[in-house]
Amino acid sequence: SGPVVSNVVGSRSPRYCLFGDTVNTAARMESNSLANHIQCSDAAHGMLCQQAPDMKIKERGEIQIKGKGLMMTYWVERDQPKVPSTPPEEKIRKESRRKKQ
């Protein structure tokens, strides 16, 4: 989270690009993360706490980031899908049995 500069680069094959330290930090968060995890910086953690206070965030701790040194990082945790205790098809069967009785 932080400032960036954007522009279209190139004339033959134009591309939209973002530049800035924030982009570099985001790339480092991705490359130093684990598979299927979302890692964020201390700045992103602060913004998430303000803008989405219900978001589950767990401290990962300080890790060495190339070009940055030690950085405090966090895991953004996702909610696990809620699995019903009884599959819907089974509930329907049970209800139809009750009606027959």
Side-chain angles (χ1 to χ4, degrees):
S1 303
V4 296
V5 174
S6 64
N7 203 347
V8 176
V9 177
S11 55
R12 291 185 185 183
S13 179
R15 285 175 268 198
Y16 184 77
C17 295
L18 285 175
F19 303 96
D21 188 53
T22 304
V23 177
N24 297 334
T25 301
R28 298 291 186 214
M29 290 296 105
E30 181 182 14
S31 65
N32 287 280
S33 188
L34 299 176
N36 299 316
H37 284 72
I38 299 171
Q39 179 177 234
C40 69
S41 66
D42 198 36
H45 167 259
M47 293 184 85
L48 278 172
C49 288
Q50 285 181 341
Q51 297 177 13
D54 295 335
M55 183 78 64
K56 293 180 183 176
I57 301 172
K58 181 179 172 185
E59 184 178 302
R60 180 181 185 185
E62 288 187 332
I63 61 171
Q64 188 71 32
I65 302 291
K66 181 181 174 185
K68 299 276 187 192
L70 281 177
M71 284 186 74
M72 178 60 75
T73 61
Y74 300 83
W75 296 120
V76 179
E77 300 199 333
R78 60 181 172 187
D79 290 331
Q80 295 299 320
K82 294 179 182 174
V83 179
S85 56
T86 306
E89 305 82 29
E90 185 64 28
K91 283 184 179 181
I92 293 169
R93 279 188 232 130
K94 284 181 181 179
E95 287 174 10
S96 65
R97 282 186 216 138
R98 282 186 206 144
K99 288 179 183 178
K100 288 179 184 179
Q101 295 174 356

